[in-house]
Amino acid sequence: MPALLAELIDALDTGRLRIVDLTQPLGPDTPVIGLPTQFASSPGMSIEVISRYDQNGPAWYWNTIRLGEHTGTHFDAPVHWITGKDLPDNTCETIPVRRLVGPACVIDVTVEVAKNPDFLLMPEHVAAWEKQHGTIPRGAWVLLRTGWSKRNSAREFLNVLGDGPHSPGFHKSTSELLARERDVTGVGVETVGTDAGQAGRFDPPFPNHATMHGAGKFGLASLRNLDELPPTGAVVIAAPLKIVNGSGSPLRVLAIVPERRKARARAADDAGG
Ligand code: MN
């Protein structure tokens, strides 16, 4: 094995690197996004047993699953939005796989979101983050850490009030900054979709989807465990199912993360100059 890959495996075996699972469990109870009633809705997951060591299959167990492409922890491909419909390599099966792996930049707005569930990430928040952690590199996965995944019930997670859902997201100008000036791979969020809950009322509606996908960028929704990632230094692997003409897909999102003690030691070194 090449030394570089042998070192990767050794680092994983010895705990110098570890894998963090950024994925929610996927099942019939997984909450799905609600849309205004004039639009078609996306079905949640249903599971039907084909056989379970019984007369339908005496030695094997398997299921039929049915679900919307955008269910649970899932990937948004550029073709998901009308702005990205004519871009090259815009569907799940045509995206070059190299683009699915990239450095993570984790922006923590947990405190702001606790005060305001409709919080929108503004360019000045990105500027403040970059002042501390460096410029967001080309090809990064920008992950918005909001603490939203700690909301355990579907009611709290979707947070639908009389005037629709309330959850955090990105201001249009921030999506433009990330897509055009930083040339990121995409954004990931803890909420049910990559736009804020109220974004159907924004101009344009769902501006993060419109901007990101129009620029050929991706989205990741319903992530969890972002609090186990450092602001920089992790690598995210987010590979959707290779669905032909797929607009998105449930997926397992993994992060490779430096071991915490080392990270703390480095932080102490940095602080010590
Ligand atoms: Mn989606």
Side-chain angles (χ1 to χ4, degrees):
M1 187 187 288
L4 189 59
L5 287 176
E7 189 177 0
L8 170 65
I9 296 301
D10 182 68
L12 290 167
D13 284 345
T14 57
R16 284 183 294 141
L17 294 174
R18 67 191 180 97
I19 308 283
V20 174
D21 188 354
L22 304 185
T23 320
Q24 286 188 9
L26 179 61
D29 294 332
T30 299
V32 294
I33 197 166
L35 296 181
T37 50
Q38 69 266 36
F39 302 120
S41 61
S42 177
M45 189 183 207
S46 59
I47 305 181
E48 183 189 349
V49 177
I50 301 169
S51 74
R52 192 160 189 163
Y53 331 119
D54 52 25
Q55 60 183 13
N56 292 323
W60 51 93
Y61 166 52
W62 51 357
N63 301 313
T64 300
I65 59 173
R66 179 174 189 272
L67 74 175
E69 288 171 328
H70 299 250
T71 303
T73 302
H74 73 271
F75 182 97
D76 290 353
V79 76
H80 179 41
W81 221 253
I82 191 167
T83 49
K85 74 184 177 65
D86 296 321
L87 295 177
D89 301 332
N90 61 354
T91 56
C92 284
E93 91 284 19
T94 56
I95 292 166
V97 290
R98 170 64 189 91
R99 297 191 61 201
L100 304 176
V101 180
C105 294
V106 183
I107 302 179
D108 181 7
V109 293
T110 309
V111 171
E112 290 86 345
V113 170
K115 287 183 249 174
N116 174 17
D118 295 310
F119 172 83
L120 298 180
L121 190 77
M122 303 300 294
E124 50 261 41
H125 296 118
V126 175
W129 186 94
E130 289 187 324
K131 194 172 177 192
Q132 195 173 357
H133 303 289
T135 303
I136 293 170
R138 187 163 173 263
W141 281 109
V142 175
L143 307 180
L144 187 60
R145 178 182 162 193
T146 56
W148 206 262
S149 60
K150 311 276 186 196
R151 291 174 171 239
N152 285 323
S153 71
R155 187 182 62 77
E156 285 180 317
F157 183 72
L158 298 174
N159 201 34
V160 179
L161 307 179
D163 58 350
H166 290 264
S167 56
F170 301 88
H171 190 270
K172 178 178 188 282
S173 56
T174 310
S175 302
E176 288 170 348
L177 165 71
L178 295 175
R180 295 175 193 165
E181 292 177 44
R182 296 296 178 272
D183 197 13
V184 301
T185 282
V187 294
V189 298
E190 296 183 47
T191 45
V192 74
T194 64
D195 263 295
Q198 289 285 296
R201 302 161 184 269
F202 295 176
D203 180 24
F206 307 106
N208 184 70
H209 281 81
T211 302
M212 282 288 157
H213 299 326
K217 310 306 187 188
F218 312 139
L220 297 171
S222 296
L223 299 175
R224 60 162 47 175
N225 296 329
L226 295 185
D227 53 348
E228 294 188 36
L229 305 189
T232 64
V235 169
V236 165
I237 304 169
L241 296 178
K242 207 166 179 175
I243 300 172
V244 175
N245 288 320
S247 78
S249 139
L251 79 172
R252 195 77 178 249
V253 183
L254 303 179
I256 305 176
V257 179
E259 191 266 323
R260 278 179 176 170
R261 193 167 51 77
K262 303 259 187 208
R264 274 202 300 273
R266 267 200 304 277
D269 284 351
D270 291 348

